[in-house]
Amino acid sequence: MAGKSQKGRSRRGAQNSTNYSEQMVPSDATTKGSLSDVKHSNAGANGLLTQSESPGTKTEAKESEAATSVDRPKQGDLHLYPVSVKTLGGEKLELQLNPGDSVMDVRQFLLDAPETCYFTCYDLLLHMKDETVHHLEDHNEISEVADITTGNCSLEMVAASYDDRSIRAHVYRTRELLSLSTLHASLSTSLALQHEATHGTSSVDPVKTEVLELDGLGFMEDVAASLSNFLSSPSKEIRSVESIVFSSFNPPPSYRRLAGDLIYLDVITLEGNKYCITGTTKFFHVNSSTGDILDPRPIKANFESTTLIGLLQKISSKFKKAFREILERKASAHPFENVQSLLPPNSWLGLYPVPDHKRDAARAEEALTLSYGSDLLGMQRDWNEELQACRDFPHTTPQERILRDRALYKVTSDFVDAASNGAIGVISRCIPPINPTDPECFHMYVHNNIFYSFAVDADLEQLPKRHASVNNPKIEGSINSLKNTDENDGNSSCFKVSNGCISESDGSNPSELSGATGLPTETQLAESEQATYASANNDLKGTKAYQEADVPGLYNLAMAIIDYRGHRVIAQSVLPGILQGDKSESLIYGSVDNGKKIYWNEDFHSKVVKAAKTLHLKEHEVLDEAGNVFKLAGPVECKGIVGSDDRHYLLDLMRVTPRDANYNGPGSRFCVLRPELVTAFCQAEAAEKTKGKSSVEEEHVAAPDLPNVADVNDLVEDKADPASASDSQFAAKVQKNETLQECGSTPTASSCQEIYFNPNVFTEFKLAGTPEEIAADEENVKKATQYLTDVVLPKFIQDLCTLEVSPMDGQTLTEALHAHGINIRYIGKVAEMTKHLPHLWDLCSSEVVVRSAKHIIKDVLRDTEDHDIGPAISHLFNCLFGNCQIVGAKGANSMQSKTQKKENSGKSSRGQSRWKSGASERKNQPSYMSINSESLWSDIQEFAKIKYQFEMPEDARARVKKVSVIRNLCQKVGVTIVAHKYELGAAAPFQTSDILNLQPVVKHSVPVCSEAKDLVETGKLQLAEGMLSEAYTLFSEAFSILQQVTGPMHREVANCCRYLAMVLYHAGDMAGAIIQQHKELIINERCLGLDHPDTAHSYGNMALFYHGLNQTELALRHMSRALLLLSLSSGPDHPDVAATFINVAMMYQDIGKMDTALRYLQEALKKNERLLGEEHIQTAVCYHALAIAFNCMGAYKLSHQHEKKTYDILVKQLGEEDSRTRDSQNWMKTFKMREIQMNAQKQKGQVLNAASAQKAVDILKANPDLMHAFQAAANSGGTTSSSNTSVKKSLNAAIASEVGAHPRGRGVDERAARAAAEVRKKAAARGLLIRPHGVPVQAVPPLTQLLNIINSGMTPDSSTNNEEMEVANTKVEDGNLSNVQETATEEKPKLDKEDQAPVGLGKGLSALDSKKQKMKQKAAA
């Protein structure tokens, strides 16, 4: 029973029930019905509800959270009913269950509770209050059996009999429980625990403790060295037993089977005793065997137990103690750290030094069974039937939709996991093909009910009849009729070819190959490889689009693309009936022969038309070869098939969006527009048509701005540029996004639906409409393409310049482009248009280098023998990042390269032709040895030019940011390298031993929950309006639904946690904000990777929240980690790094470390001036921050001078009338006034006396760091002169002289800050309590005294100083300085409600969005 239910999960150590409970935080006890074993919540499990709040605060935070979410029943928030459970051990515990929970869910909760975690084999009995007893079957829902809402129900666990399968599952589960490898501790948790340990629970005034200075600036100077700081050592295992292995007495002899023996285990305890244990159908006991002969008699009567752990506790006291420690360790971790991620990201760095490989018999046993993802016991899963059955679930009520989404998510995730394991078996040649007599490139495989084929182009079949064997009639039926083989048609790719096929052609007749067509063979093969890669990607996108359209009665296969060792394998669920002989008669729609013969069926067509409407595809007419006219609503080459299960399947969806009219040459057949662009274009057109009908609409969807899809930055998908966008674009922008994404909800719905595209224009298929109609269809497609180049691209560039979108690395850049509807092939154009911003140009050129290098490396790996893979990868990395010269091969190589360039005009992978022509060379040495740095870089340059129209500069090799490129390339190819410092200046920085692993890189279409997405979108709108409690309710509801659908380990759940943290932060509940932010951080580390930009921003936000609780030391440690991660993903030159520096400076400023704060501010200013230019608003923010810092120290002249620079930039950028410009002006007046007051004091005769001068000199001697930074200031102020000319020699002048001329920055989620200020204002207006997060005033530090002496010859009295600290008490939230206190000091100018505090202070930049809106509206008008 239980063994069965847990089998696969336990074996992979995955306990990945999709509804894992956060057992610990009562704040979420309400969020998932059924989730929380509240009785055992480890309330402090976070390790991060920090010390300074009293327990009272904690409970308050949690209770208020819980209260808010209980207020009203919501669609995702289910009512929970307490049900007591009597365990097998006789204890009682209480679960919170919902009638909709399945029995499997209950088992999972019991598996997670410490008291019951080691019971796997039991039946569940439900006792009702009327004393009836129900036996619960695994797949039932509780509500199907009995009504638990009546109360007084209890569950009883009753021991069930083991069988062969469940007893093995029990042993696996036991081993898993005894290991801590499934515990993924986040650095944030350990920092908090460390902090708690050092500071105890006493609320020490954080100001008094000495705060260590960050080595953050150090990370920036030497990024390569920081690799070694990146991975923390894994948690130390707690040893509980020497070994538990299957005994060599297995299997039990037949006479013992009849007595109930199932398994024998050999156990060595920590005490050194050896035991042989018998597992029977009822229990485990120690038998009397010694030596080589089985003696099945029990050794002692009391040495038996129903579980293995129970028995081990009886025979070993050390085991008992260690097991208790293991459970305590797991309980002390954050519950999310115990949950397995279903599809974890590949890690590109491995531990250094490489951990010793120790003997582990249990590990060896598992490895010996080469299952490649299939289950060895029991039936194989029928993936297709599972998936389609889940799609057929009812989905009318919210609860039904949640159950359906959960089932779909689980099946698809399991499929992707099994498919990637199987693909490794296919590529490693461990799984035999089903058509072994065909050429290798056309081999197909079925394993574990998954169909595999290599990415090849069917173009190859048009080459001379070199492969007669491919016409094997038996298979050809399946190949030709079904997508399962991925076999397409003449030009489209379908079957996907590995290099194996190319080697195969070496054996056949190459001259015959190239003779048939005018092109060299290599060019054709290389082009075909490109096309197939593109077509496989498009097919996956098309399949996803039809899945989301969700038309009843129209089905798609589960699909995944796996790239491994240079091969691309396409995995699909098996179409029912395909393997049972020729099924060509089951094709009833579309074409298998490139439109020569077209099939059509009325019923099928009606379903395709329904889907076409949501996809903006037009119903149109096409001709087949015989001239017959057919009405289609999709691409000609799609195939509609009736499976043997009578379901209608639609396959080969490579072109579900129209062709890109900018790319219509040969080889660009699969250059299609992105669905995001099609949606945006339709909405823009609709808005254009309805202009004037509704002024409101004009505001939201005004045509000239319409690539507000550009603005969207994938808010809806929350994928784009997660680094910046996802959480921060609320406010007015969200309203536009909402309008855009949900076009149907606006009055434009009808017109929005009017624009449909014919997917078959600009193709070789014959269209049957009138010439006018065809011309109109073509015009439509041209208009969409033009919209991309004329509107979307410029808008995207503008967003990049204003930092609306701020990608950090290749992945976030790709996501940002896609979110805006821009294909990666336009990246060369984007690079051209951002030449004036160095960090963006670097980012684009690095991405082009990585993508080009990836193709060349894959090419080499395909040809590399198993034993050469490590050396090949290290050699290629040395060629790319070092300077490798291969003496022997050099001449031949460059010659080959030249001739090849002449022949090769297509967009080909440079590598392929070389490997083929070097056949004789290859016999003597591996092909990778013929590559050197020169040839590799020239290949990359050529590839970049052909594929991305990107001209790489001569010095591209020198300019490339090596660490970021290594990281990006490793992630794209699946390589793991050792995390230590690489001498990247050396000729060969990589050794073979540095390459640790090569993993598959998987693309898939795991569905997400649209219901929760909509709630998040609505929540953002409420947050933008300052309606905190409504926003909180919506985000909690979304969190609750996602928790049920995907479990906690999903990036959408992380999004919800981030928004919940923001709402709590704005409501003044710092402790609650930290709880939610910590969850987001753990999920991002596990689902996106330890160094993903989102993870860095999570650390940054954690730091700001800790700082809000006055735990500056802990905050700075988190900032240090954020800087390390940013340096890995983007390198030191990025505006986000500058913004993070401002954050760090503010923290130092608040604890009185002004010298350190100034160093960071100067560094930020240098970066912003170099990256963004001297007149960017972000540069103004730096000047303003410096002005406030000097003001804090009483250096009013310098304050005035820096504020003047802020003012000048704002006047230029925003105009004098802008509220921020006026605020800046007010600050200047304030500083001037203070300066005048000081001068007045001086004139009263308080001149600088000898004692104070001596004091200043002493302070300068004690702080040599200050000498450099304050030389100018000291010169001007040390004498009593206070003339303006001397002020101009200030520190800032010194800074300005050092600054070069480079570009930009945004920090940790800067738009959030603007929205934050806006939200606070609105919340305050609505009378909500906003708790100021000010930091207590500190004593004036020595530096401040120094400046006071310089300025005035006396220390200002403490009251003035306190005011200064108040004014300066600013934070940079998410990259903007935003004044968290709303109070003004006496001297601070009173601003009216509309006038926000100056830029960078408080609501400084908050008005930017609304300002933009107004400007856009004017433009639109």
Side-chain angles (χ1 to χ4, degrees), residues 498-564:
S498 69
N499 220 23
C501 138
I502 295 171
S503 329
E504 193 83 28
S505 70
D506 280 346
S508 68
N509 185 346
S511 58
E512 185 190 7
L513 259 158
S514 51
T517 63
L519 282 166
T521 315
E522 293 93 338
T523 308
Q524 286 192 306
L525 292 171
E527 278 209 323
S528 70
E529 178 224 17
Q530 287 303 311
T532 56
Y533 271 35
S535 69
N537 284 338
N538 286 359
D539 197 6
L540 184 64
K541 278 187 290 210
T543 304
K544 199 173 182 176
Y546 274 89
Q547 281 171 358
E548 284 168 5
D550 206 6
V551 173
L554 193 60
Y555 298 87
N556 302 98
L557 301 176
M559 179 179 180
I561 297 173
I562 297 99
D563 289 313
Y564 180 62

Side-chain angles (χ1 to χ4, degrees), residues 67-325:
T68 324
S69 46
V70 175
D71 278 348
R72 63 191 85 173
K74 294 169 289 198
Q75 70 184 53
D77 232 10
L78 309 169
H79 279 298
L80 301 184
Y81 300 92
V83 176
S84 64
V85 181
K86 185 182 177 190
T87 69
L88 287 174
E91 300 117 323
K92 281 216 165 183
L93 59 97
E94 191 173 272
L95 290 182
Q96 298 287 331
L97 298 181
N98 170 269
D101 287 325
S102 70
V103 178
M104 293 282 275
D105 292 335
V106 178
R107 286 187 179 280
Q108 185 64 39
F109 308 146
L110 292 171
L111 208 55
D112 293 331
E115 296 83 350
T116 52
C117 59
Y118 48 90
F119 296 115
T120 62
C121 192
Y122 55 85
D123 291 333
L124 280 171
L125 301 180
L126 179 62
H127 298 271
M128 303 302 293
K129 70 175 176 187
D130 57 4
E131 298 192 2
T132 53
V133 178
H134 301 275
H135 182 265
L136 298 181
E137 289 293 340
D138 272 4
H139 295 283
N140 283 352
E141 267 184 36
I142 296 174
S143 56
E144 292 170 13
V145 182
D147 181 12
I148 59 167
T149 59
T150 56
N152 293 337
C153 307
S154 64
L155 284 170
E156 184 184 359
M157 297 167 72
V158 182
S161 297
Y162 289 107
D163 56 26
D164 278 316
R165 183 189 175 98
S166 59
I167 201 161
R168 279 182 169 76
H170 182 82
V171 175
Y172 282 125
R173 171 67 181 158
T174 302
R175 284 176 180 166
E176 182 190 300
L177 274 174
L178 300 180
S179 161
L180 289 175
S181 62
T182 55
L183 185 65
H184 302 266
S186 163
L187 177 72
S188 178
T189 315
S190 43
L191 285 176
L193 291 170
Q194 222 175 321
H195 188 261
E196 197 162 1
T198 48
H199 291 69
T201 45
S202 62
S203 54
V204 182
D205 180 1
V207 180
K208 289 175 189 156
T209 57
E210 186 56 32
V211 177
L212 298 168
E213 190 164 323
L214 280 192
D215 47 355
L217 288 165
F219 289 147
M220 294 297 148
E221 284 149 22
D222 186 2
V223 180
S226 62
L227 287 180
S228 46
N229 305 328
F230 173 61
L231 294 174
S232 43
S233 49
S235 44
K236 200 165 182 289
E237 288 287 347
I238 297 172
R239 295 190 62 199
S240 55
V241 64
E242 282 295 331
S243 72
I244 301 177
V245 293
F246 288 104
S247 168
S248 45
F249 286 129
N250 284 311
S254 52
Y255 59 91
R256 288 306 307 162
R257 290 278 314 186
L258 298 176
D261 289 8
L262 295 174
I263 201 169
Y264 300 119
L265 300 169
D266 286 333
V267 171
I268 304 175
T269 62
L270 289 178
E271 290 87 348
N273 302 325
K274 295 183 181 178
Y275 296 99
C276 183
I277 291 176
T278 302
T280 69
T281 52
K282 285 291 175 203
F283 46 72
F284 292 85
H285 67 257
V286 179
N287 62 39
S288 307
S289 309
T290 49
D292 293 341
I293 295 166
L294 177 69
D295 181 349
R297 293 168 304 154
I299 196 166
K300 275 188 192 172
N302 67 335
F303 272 16
E304 66 177 39
S305 171
T306 52
T307 62
L308 185 52
I309 283 183
L311 178 60
L312 292 170
Q313 285 179 323
K314 288 181 178 177
I315 61 179
S316 164
S317 56
K318 284 187 179 176
F319 174 86
K320 193 170 184 175
K321 181 171 176 262
F323 183 60
R324 193 182 309 117
E325 272 180 49

Side-chain angles (χ1 to χ4, degrees), residues 668-696:
S668 54
R669 170 183 180 131
F670 291 107
C671 293
V672 294
L673 299 173
R674 287 194 65 84
E676 297 91 340
L677 180 85
V678 171
T679 311
F681 174 70
C682 292
Q683 287 156 0
E685 288 292 296
E688 190 73 43
K689 286 177 188 168
T690 53
K691 232 184 188 182
K693 285 186 190 174
S694 144
S695 57
V696 178

Side-chain angles (χ1 to χ4, degrees), residues 756-1024:
Y756 295 114
F757 295 98
N758 180 341
N760 293 315
V761 293
F762 299 121
T763 61
E764 68 281 17
F765 302 117
K766 296 177 194 156
L767 299 172
T770 62
E772 293 77 26
E773 200 183 330
I774 293 171
D777 286 349
E778 289 185 350
E779 187 52 35
N780 243 353
V781 172
K782 281 181 184 163
K783 272 167 82 176
T785 308
Q786 194 180 354
Y787 177 76
L788 169 63
T789 46
D790 296 354
V791 184
V792 174
L793 268 170
K795 177 72 177 66
F796 180 65
I797 301 300
Q798 184 194 335
D799 283 353
L800 287 172
C801 298
T802 58
L803 310 181
E804 278 298 308
V805 177
S806 180
M808 299 289 299
D809 62 353
Q811 186 185 348
T812 47
L813 174 67
T814 306
E815 287 170 345
L817 284 165
H818 287 171
H820 289 70
I822 303 168
N823 307 73
I824 280 292
R825 58 178 169 273
Y826 286 96
I827 193 169
K829 266 205 173 70
V830 173
E832 279 302 303
M833 294 163 84
T834 52
K835 265 194 167 159
H836 59 294
L837 296 176
H839 69 286
L840 290 170
W841 192 90
D842 283 348
L843 187 56
C844 293
S845 59
S846 296
E847 184 66 4
V848 170
V849 167
V850 169
R851 283 172 178 271
S852 308
K854 173 185 77 173
H855 283 279
I856 296 164
I857 288 174
K858 281 181 169 182
D859 234 358
V860 179
L861 289 179
R862 268 201 297 272
D863 265 359
T864 304
E865 298 291 336
D866 293 11
H867 52 268
D868 278 335
I869 287 180
I873 294 174
S874 60
H875 175 75
L876 288 164
F877 274 32
N878 285 333
C879 292
L880 194 57
F881 302 109
N883 190 9
C884 274
Q885 301 300 337
I886 308 295
V887 183
K890 193 174 176 184
N893 208 49
S894 52
M895 277 306 293
Q896 251 168 266
S897 206
K898 276 173 198 158
T899 50
Q900 184 188 308
K901 282 175 193 169
K902 283 178 198 156
E903 296 173 335
N904 220 332
S905 56
K907 48 173 191 171
S908 66
S909 155
R910 273 290 137 285
Q912 254 170 347
S913 27
R914 185 160 67 239
W915 314 144
K916 296 305 126 238
S917 46
S920 56
E921 197 178 294
R922 212 174 53 210
K923 287 172 191 164
N924 311 327
Q925 59 170 6
S927 60
Y928 69 85
M929 290 307 292
S930 61
I931 302 172
N932 61 29
S933 293
E934 294 301 319
S935 65
L936 181 62
W937 274 94
S938 70
D939 285 349
I940 287 174
Q941 283 179 322
E942 182 114 356
F943 191 97
K945 193 171 171 182
I946 292 167
K947 181 86 192 277
Y948 302 110
Q949 291 82 52
F950 180 71
E951 288 281 354
M952 283 169 74
E954 292 301 309
D955 59 345
R957 249 175 98 176
R959 284 177 64 172
V960 84
K961 289 180 183 166
K962 291 187 176 177
V963 174
S964 303
V965 169
I966 292 170
R967 169 182 177 270
N968 195 347
L969 187 62
C970 286
Q971 287 171 336
K972 284 190 166 66
V973 184
V975 175
T976 305
I977 59 173
V978 167
H980 67 71
K981 181 175 179 180
Y982 291 94
E983 293 300 333
L984 294 172
F990 290 88
Q991 310 301 318
T992 305
S993 57
D994 291 332
I995 311 299
L996 293 181
N997 197 2
L998 184 60
Q999 300 159 292
V1001 177
V1002 185
K1003 293 184 175 183
H1004 53 72
S1005 63
V1006 175
V1008 285
C1009 175
S1010 54
E1011 200 108 341
K1013 254 183 181 174
D1014 297 342
L1015 285 167
V1016 170
E1017 289 306 311
T1018 322
K1020 289 180 194 168
L1021 287 172
Q1022 302 283 20
L1023 182 56

